[in-house]
Amino acid sequence: MVNLVIFGTVALDSLETPFGKANSVLGGSASYASIAASFFTKPGIVSIIGKDFPKEHIDFFNKKGIDTSGIIVGEKTFRWQGYYEYDMNEAKTIKTELNSLESYKVKVPESYKNAKYLFLGNMDPGLQLEVINQIKKPDFVIMDTMNFWIQQKKEQLLKTIKKADILVFNDGEARQLFNTPNLVKAANEALKLVSKAVIIKKGEHGALLFCDKKHFSAPSYPMESLKDPTGCGDSFGGALAGYLAKTKDLSEKNIRKAVIYGSVVASFNAEDFSIGRLKQITNKDLEKRYNEFKAIREF
Ligand code: AMP
């Protein structure tokens, strides 16, 4: 049974970083998030692809135990084209082709409707809200967003955030959404909208958690082989949601652990293009790096 529903894009990405290029590779917020979550629980994706989407990727999702019955097939897959300069914290978008997303009518399969956990990856906030409305009684909703949707649909986005328990976004997006350079102020504004917690991802500099009037700062991992940060935000969110769905514990202490698991999976993700590294790692690798994270924090 699907325990965690993951909504977002399943995409074909073309990108360039200072360390190489990739053309039409698997990407999308739901792809990264579901693969990251699959280390902890059984996710099911809700999304749309096109007839041009390679079947091998669907086979891979299924091999990871990810339910794909919520992925419908439209005309053409969502495509994102971008590049990174030496500051790998910021993706520069060259082109976003919404394609089949433009006329997408969200349909959550019956078999997902009793899921208790929901992760809303980057996607049109109007569609994110439709997914929330179609799940019967989720115990918690975690959502992510990004600059594209803040620019295009800010009012709708603020309405959708009000339905979430945990909001995850990055530092630039937090500043942009709440019109302030101060991350603590932005987090406090966001806390007025959600019921539980706000997490601000700071790329290679770690992440901040604001929850129950407490503040936790997760360290960054000293990465030697950084190739492509695409999907780090989504794999952070997916692993965080997967860990919380597995442990069913929304205490502040457990959310701290989830933030570290999110950071662990995101750090692996950046070691290769697309899902190259996530394909290779095992839960044993995650545990090893989780313990390294603990050691980094000790003083
Ligand atoms: P991130 O985790 O923020 O690096 O997200 C990277 C992924 O987001 C890429 O694989 C893209 O396919 C996907 N993406 C890019 N633009 C959008 C968008 N506007 N909405 C949803 N997903 C997007």
Side-chain angles (χ1 to χ4, degrees):
M1 212 196 78
V2 168
N3 186 30
L4 170 67
V5 172
I6 295 196
F7 179 59
T9 48
V10 173
L12 293 171
D13 289 348
S14 296
L15 59 123
E16 188 165 356
T17 80
F19 309 102
K21 271 184 180 179
N23 196 14
S24 275
V25 290
L26 176 62
S29 53
S31 307
Y32 284 108
S34 61
I35 294 168
S38 71
F39 290 102
F40 307 96
T41 191
K42 189 165 167 29
I45 301 179
V46 175
S47 193
I48 186 166
I49 50 172
K51 293 178 188 135
D52 53 345
F53 190 76
K55 183 176 172 295
E56 66 184 79
H57 299 323
I58 299 288
D59 293 341
F60 177 70
F61 288 138
N62 296 149
K63 198 172 136 216
K64 294 290 287 178
I66 300 166
D67 192 319
T68 51
S69 57
I71 302 181
I72 60 170
V73 184
E75 273 307 307
K76 218 174 156 219
T77 305
F78 172 90
R79 285 178 187 256
W80 176 76
Q81 196 186 343
Y83 69 97
Y84 299 82
E85 288 168 339
Y86 275 105
D87 176 5
M88 303 267 269
N89 281 332
E90 201 197 332
K92 306 251 177 26
T93 295
I94 298 171
K95 206 160 52 171
T96 303
E97 290 176 49
L98 296 175
N99 296 331
S100 51
L101 214 67
E102 267 172 309
S103 54
Y104 179 31
K105 301 260 175 301
V106 175
K107 196 164 176 347
V108 175
E110 282 306 318
S111 57
Y112 290 15
K113 287 190 173 166
N114 288 315
K116 290 287 167 215
Y117 310 102
L118 175 56
F119 178 74
L120 301 168
N122 265 313
M123 183 56 119
D124 181 322
L127 299 181
Q128 288 179 318
L129 189 62
E130 279 182 37
V131 177
I132 300 177
N133 291 337
Q134 288 184 34
I135 305 279
K136 285 188 184 139
K137 210 169 165 286
D139 280 356
F140 68 80
V141 177
I142 302 175
M143 74 173 276
D144 192 356
T145 193
M146 68 184 288
N147 51 6
F148 184 87
W149 300 114
I150 299 173
Q151 280 150 16
Q152 308 270 326
K153 301 206 169 178
K154 186 169 170 175
E155 287 315 308
Q156 173 65 60
L157 177 62
L158 291 167
K159 277 190 201 151
T160 306
I161 294 174
K162 284 189 186 155
K163 301 273 177 187
D165 299 295
I166 301 181
L167 175 66
V168 184
F169 53 173
N170 74 28
D171 46 358
E173 291 150 6
R175 292 188 179 103
Q176 186 186 6
L177 184 58
F178 295 106
N179 289 318
T180 170
N182 183 321
L183 289 183
V184 178
K185 278 195 179 148
N188 285 334
E189 288 301 314
L191 279 170
K192 290 180 194 159
L193 305 177
V194 296
S195 77
K196 184 72 192 176
V198 171
I199 296 167
I200 300 183
K201 300 168 283 185
K202 293 172 59 193
E204 60 182 323
H205 305 298
L208 304 172
L209 164 69
F210 299 85
C211 179
D212 294 349
K213 300 208 163 61
K214 288 188 190 141
H215 167 222
F216 170 64
S217 166
S220 60
Y221 184 76
M223 298 202 32
E224 273 184 52
S225 56
L226 176 67
K227 279 197 186 154
D228 172 22
T230 309
C232 279
D234 309 314
S235 28
F236 176 97
L240 173 110
Y243 179 77
L244 292 175
K246 176 185 165 190
T247 52
K248 301 181 175 57
D249 173 0
L250 265 200
S251 65
E252 192 262 347
K253 194 163 176 224
N254 199 50
I255 300 177
R256 288 187 183 213
K257 287 187 187 165
V259 167
I260 299 297
Y261 276 112
S263 309
V264 166
V265 179
S267 71
F268 276 116
N269 177 61
E271 290 177 0
D272 203 350
F273 283 85
S274 183
I275 56 155
R277 192 71 178 111
L278 296 186
K279 250 183 174 169
Q280 296 166 335
I281 55 169
T282 62
N283 280 75
K284 215 169 144 201
D285 297 315
L286 299 187
E287 287 311 310
K288 185 164 174 272
R289 195 165 284 186
Y290 181 88
N291 287 324
E292 286 176 56
F293 263 86
K294 261 191 186 159
I296 292 172
R297 226 339 72 107
E298 226 164 39
F299 61 90

